[in-house]
Amino acid sequence: MKQGKQKSIKNQRIFHVGIIGASNKEANAIKRIFAVTNFRKRCYSPKILNADQSQKNNNVDFFLMCTDNPFEIDDWCQSPHCKSPPIFLARNKKQKLGKYQLSSPVNPGKFVQTLDHYTIKELNYFPEFEIGSDDAPIDEVTISGLKILRSNVNSNKNPNTPQLSILIVDDSLAVQRQMKLEFQLRSDHLDVASNAEDAICAIQTKRYDLIFLDVVMPGMDGYTACKKIKKNRRNHNTPVVLLTSRSSSFDKIKGALAGCDAYLVKPINHNEFEDVYKKFTQHSMQGDRAHAS
């Protein structure tokens, strides 16, 4: 029954967490907390392991170590099977064991918050933020996640990474606002146009590294605008990503015939956006840019 309910959640991702060194009481508490996440897009599934099993188990996304011995954690982290830093559950509140430390007894809210923080920062998974959702105020959970992502991007930023030029074409103020938040995570230069006509004017004098183009807009639609962009000598090689709420095969074929390079269906979560962004900006980051004269 529980499994059926999990399948009904669209785009749900299950993270398998290896639990090492937990007492029966701790293991039962963790299982109860994890069960609550079955009804979210970000779900956690526990696997109770002993030390030997952890070295052979490759079917977990990260580990949670329950220990009162900091040396045990140091030894475990230095072993060959430790591919990513575990989340520590320290029984002694005075111990300083790591940035993802949890104290016992477990506080359910703090416990899930720490797991979410880990998956956002270490695994770059953030389904709460969507582009093309309604124009309601962004909640505290999403704001907190954006702050984590921004901190992570800044700490990993290469000073030699070139600034990219991005054009957003969409008449929705909500989409413009959400796109701006996405690009605040990076150091790219962002231009925004509210209609296709303004976008066509923009590409006459400037070359862009990536263009996000809405399909349904007042005046010229996105398909027609995409064709014009692909004929422009400055931007004919620029990847164009169509943004739309239409997901039929006919619409995707129509987009392909217009020359678009990708087709994203709204609402678009952060991870889908991130995949497309990385795919089409990789050549620019490597300096392989074909400028029109």
Side-chain angles (χ1 to χ4, degrees):
M1 187 71 175
K2 184 188 295 183
Q3 192 174 13
K5 288 183 178 179
Q6 284 184 250
K7 289 183 178 179
S8 66
I9 299 174
K10 184 180 178 182
N11 298 326
Q12 185 184 53
R13 178 169 173 181
I14 300 175
F15 291 95
H16 298 282
V17 185
I19 313 297
I20 304 169
S23 66
N24 289 335
K25 183 178 180 180
E26 287 171 330
N28 289 331
I30 292 169
K31 287 178 180 179
R32 286 194 296 270
I33 295 171
F34 278 22
V36 175
T37 70
N38 289 339
F39 305 96
R40 309 189 313 160
K41 285 188 176 182
R42 182 191 278 103
C43 172
Y44 299 107
S45 176
K47 290 191 173 185
I48 310 300
L49 307 172
N50 59 41
D52 292 336
Q53 287 176 317
S54 70
Q55 296 184 29
K56 301 174 183 178
N57 198 306
N58 296 319
N59 299 319
V60 297
D61 295 290
F62 55 91
F63 293 92
L64 181 112
M65 285 198 70
C66 306
T67 182
D68 50 11
N69 182 357
F71 298 105
E72 181 183 354
I73 291 176
D74 290 338
D75 291 342
W76 192 87
C77 288
Q78 292 172 10
S79 61
H81 67 273
C82 183
K83 298 179 181 179
S84 61
I87 294 176
F88 309 127
L89 177 60
R91 297 188 179 94
N92 184 341
K93 293 184 180 181
K94 295 181 181 180
Q95 291 177 4
K96 304 280 186 184
L97 299 180
K99 58 184 176 180
Y100 298 108
Q101 177 181 342
L102 287 162
S103 297
S104 186
V106 174
N107 178 300
K110 180 66 175 176
F111 189 91
V112 173
Q113 184 181 33
T114 302
L115 295 176
D116 289 349
H117 188 129
Y118 180 92
T119 54
I120 291 171
K121 187 167 184 179
E122 303 293 342
L123 305 179
N124 196 37
Y125 181 69
F126 189 41
E128 289 83 2
F129 187 56
E130 293 185 329
I131 299 166
S133 56
D134 58 30
D135 200 15
I138 298 176
D139 58 39
E140 290 298 322
V141 172
T142 302
I143 292 174
S144 175
L146 287 168
K147 288 179 178 177
I148 294 169
L149 286 173
R150 185 177 297 117
S151 174
N152 198 34
V153 168
N154 290 336
S155 63
N156 294 324
K157 187 181 294 181
N158 185 336
N160 297 321
T161 299
Q163 184 185 54
L164 303 180
S165 293
I166 313 294
L167 176 62
I168 308 298
V169 189
D170 202 298
D171 63 315
S172 166
L173 294 178
V175 171
Q176 291 179 18
R177 177 174 60 105
Q178 291 153 358
M179 279 289 199
K180 287 177 181 177
L181 285 172
E182 278 285 2
F183 284 102
Q184 281 178 5
L185 301 175
R186 305 164 178 86
S187 58
D188 297 334
H189 178 79
L190 181 66
D191 289 338
V192 177
S194 297
N195 55 66
E197 288 79 7
D198 288 347
I200 297 304
C201 290
I203 65 169
Q204 302 301 325
T205 58
K206 185 174 180 178
R207 184 194 180 278
Y208 290 96
D209 296 292
L210 183 59
I211 297 174
F212 290 92
L213 178 63
D214 188 25
V215 169
V216 180
M217 293 180 288
M220 187 188 304
D221 65 26
Y223 299 122
T224 304
C226 185
K227 291 178 181 178
K228 290 181 178 293
I229 291 170
K230 291 298 183 178
K231 291 179 180 178
N232 177 271
R233 66 186 181 90
R234 289 182 184 273
N235 289 278
H236 67 278
N237 287 324
T238 300
V240 176
V241 180
L242 289 182
L243 308 177
T244 181
S245 57
R246 299 175 177 178
S247 58
S248 70
S249 299
F250 173 78
D251 291 306
K252 292 181 179 179
I253 292 172
K254 193 173 180 180
L257 292 174
C260 80
D261 298 273
Y263 195 96
L264 288 177
V265 179
K266 303 175 188 175
I268 307 152
N269 70 45
H270 167 81
N271 297 87
E272 292 174 337
F273 172 87
E274 185 76 13
D275 289 344
V276 167
Y277 174 86
K278 287 181 178 178
K279 176 181 178 180
F280 291 116
T281 59
Q282 193 66 37
H283 69 287
S284 295
M285 292 180 179
Q286 293 172 348
D288 182 19
R289 304 172 69 175
H291 291 281
S293 59

